[in-house]
Amino acid sequence: MGRIPRFVRHDQPTVYHIMSRTALDGFPLQDTEKDHLMATVARLCKVYFVDLLGFCLMGNHFHLVVRMNPADDLTDEDITERYKLLYGKESRIIPCQIDDFRNRLTSLGDFVKDIKQGFTKAYNKRKKRWGTFWGERFKSVIVEEGETLVNLLAYVDLNPIRAGIVDKPENYRWSTLGYLVQRGNKDGLIDLNLGMHEWNEFNPTEIIRKYREFVYETGAMDAGKGKRLDPELVKQERKKGFRLSRTDVFRHRCRYFSDSGIIGSKEFVAEVFDGVKHLLDSKDERRFTPVGGVEGVYSMKRLAGAVGG
């Protein structure tokens, strides 16, 4: 029996909920693997004509909520720019390739395939293994923007709560709220719509506040399976109007003091990295992240590829 055709729309921006599970036993997506998968998603979101609305990377599966934008809206210059982003500034696209590349960079299937294949290649290299990492083909659901989208995003963000991994959604850094709070939406990766534009809300700070409120109130309800948010936590957040204070933000971002590979001034991080980069299996470049709430302090990711670490 052949595969059931996937529901896709090509003539207008369309939101999809994407889900994919690993083919391996247990929970192969540990912290390092989630970081690599997140980096792969972030890189390809810049290449493809896609808006990332939400995500959650779990130990054996992932959720992405994306808006795919149609090919008809793109100019040849748009395509050429993304081609260079993918293959390098010196690369040149042949005119007869432009339409094919335009179709590829607006294709849901190609987008997910590049994420999964790119991650698998890197994972197999690090683990010195070969073979597949992901299970059967990914699932996708077309989602209506507005209230349906907000409910979906809350469902995705509550995965770590239902699984009993964290007590607050923003404590899980491989999720929408975790990325918004802990990373300050670095590089504008998340499209700050979160389904609120249809409710006439366009202020980014207020969008995040209202979205947190929605997630907390939803997480406090009994979903019939899995854990729910502690009612006391929800009560505390209600008193604060679901606003994040400067102290809250700093508390979430202070993980850099324990999770980083190097931390200090930008000059210090650069000096130390240049002295230890030979320990890395890959040709990692310097990537410095400002530590939110601490002036002049930067961190660099833990050297996950170091020999004998």
Side-chain angles (χ1 to χ4, degrees):
M1 182 178 176
R3 287 182 172 181
I4 299 174
R6 191 181 302 283
F7 290 163
V8 293
R9 298 195 303 182
H10 303 288
D11 59 341
Q12 59 188 292
T14 301
V15 174
Y16 298 90
H17 176 205
I18 302 161
M19 300 151 280
S20 190
R21 290 188 171 274
T22 72
L24 308 185
D25 294 331
F27 301 95
L29 290 169
Q30 296 299 309
D31 291 4
T32 298
E33 287 72 36
K34 291 173 189 171
D35 285 341
H36 279 279
L37 179 56
M38 190 65 252
T40 301
V41 171
R43 180 177 63 84
L44 289 171
C45 280
K46 294 179 181 178
V47 174
Y48 278 78
F49 293 94
V50 59
D51 305 316
L52 182 63
L53 304 177
F55 71 94
C56 187
L57 314 181
M58 299 293 285
N60 60 4
H61 69 283
F62 69 76
H63 299 260
L64 298 177
V65 184
V66 302
R67 182 190 298 108
M68 299 299 301
N69 295 299
D72 292 345
D73 294 344
L74 308 174
T75 65
D76 290 357
E77 289 73 22
D78 293 330
I79 304 304
T80 300
E81 180 183 335
R82 297 300 175 95
Y83 187 90
K84 290 177 180 291
L85 194 59
L86 185 59
Y87 295 112
K89 293 181 179 179
E90 304 303 318
S91 60
R92 294 288 182 271
I93 188 170
I94 302 171
C96 64
Q97 293 179 309
I98 288 180
D99 282 343
D100 286 342
F101 205 65
R102 175 183 282 108
N103 291 331
R104 174 187 170 187
L105 295 187
T106 53
S107 165
L108 176 68
D110 285 333
F111 173 65
V112 180
K113 181 181 72 174
D114 279 354
I115 289 173
K116 295 171 71 170
Q117 288 185 351
F119 174 83
T120 300
K121 183 178 179 181
Y123 179 86
N124 285 350
K125 182 179 179 180
R126 287 198 311 277
K127 298 294 184 179
K128 295 180 173 56
R129 69 182 290 274
W130 62 275
T132 186
F133 179 87
W134 303 103
E136 59 188 31
R137 70 174 184 157
F138 71 92
K139 296 179 181 179
S140 64
V141 178
I142 293 177
V143 182
E144 182 180 14
E145 300 212 32
E147 185 173 355
T148 302
L149 175 57
V150 179
N151 276 278
L152 167 63
L153 291 171
Y155 160 79
V156 170
D157 252 325
L158 287 168
N159 264 253
I161 297 293
R162 303 300 189 201
I165 299 173
V166 292
D167 59 349
K168 300 175 71 173
E170 56 264 37
N171 287 352
Y172 191 75
R173 71 176 188 260
W174 302 281
S175 66
T176 313
L177 270 178
Y179 193 83
L180 290 174
V181 175
Q182 295 189 28
R183 302 294 301 277
N185 199 21
K186 185 175 181 291
D187 297 328
L189 178 63
I190 306 294
D191 181 331
L192 282 184
N193 175 328
L194 303 180
M196 296 290 179
H197 288 184
E198 287 72 17
W199 293 357
N200 295 316
E201 184 55 70
F202 297 91
N203 180 290
T205 301
E206 191 63 9
I207 283 175
I208 293 174
R209 187 193 71 78
K210 286 186 175 180
Y211 177 63
R212 284 188 75 240
E213 179 178 3
F214 191 90
V215 172
Y216 270 77
E217 297 292 0
T218 303
M221 295 187 293
D222 186 358
K225 63 177 182 178
K227 297 187 177 181
R228 59 174 178 160
L229 275 168
D230 183 347
E232 273 304 311
L233 278 177
V234 180
K235 187 183 299 183
Q236 292 170 18
E237 290 296 332
R238 285 191 192 120
K239 289 181 180 179
K240 296 190 298 182
F242 295 94
R243 291 179 176 85
L244 285 167
S245 68
R246 186 174 183 274
T247 303
D248 292 329
V249 173
F250 175 74
R251 187 181 297 117
H252 285 295
R253 295 184 189 176
C254 69
R255 69 175 181 81
Y256 289 106
F257 290 108
S258 58
D259 289 354
S260 299
I262 311 168
I263 190 167
S265 69
K266 199 168 188 178
E267 294 73 20
F268 174 81
V269 175
E271 178 185 349
V272 174
F273 174 69
D274 287 342
V276 300
K277 64 182 180 182
H278 65 282
L279 298 174
L280 296 176
D281 295 332
S282 60
K283 297 179 180 179
D284 280 28
E285 299 177 354
R286 296 174 178 176
R287 293 189 181 90
F288 307 135
T289 302
V291 177
V294 188
E295 186 70 26
V297 177
Y298 291 78
S299 79
M300 185 184 155
K301 65 180 182 180
R302 186 173 299 280
L303 306 183
V307 177

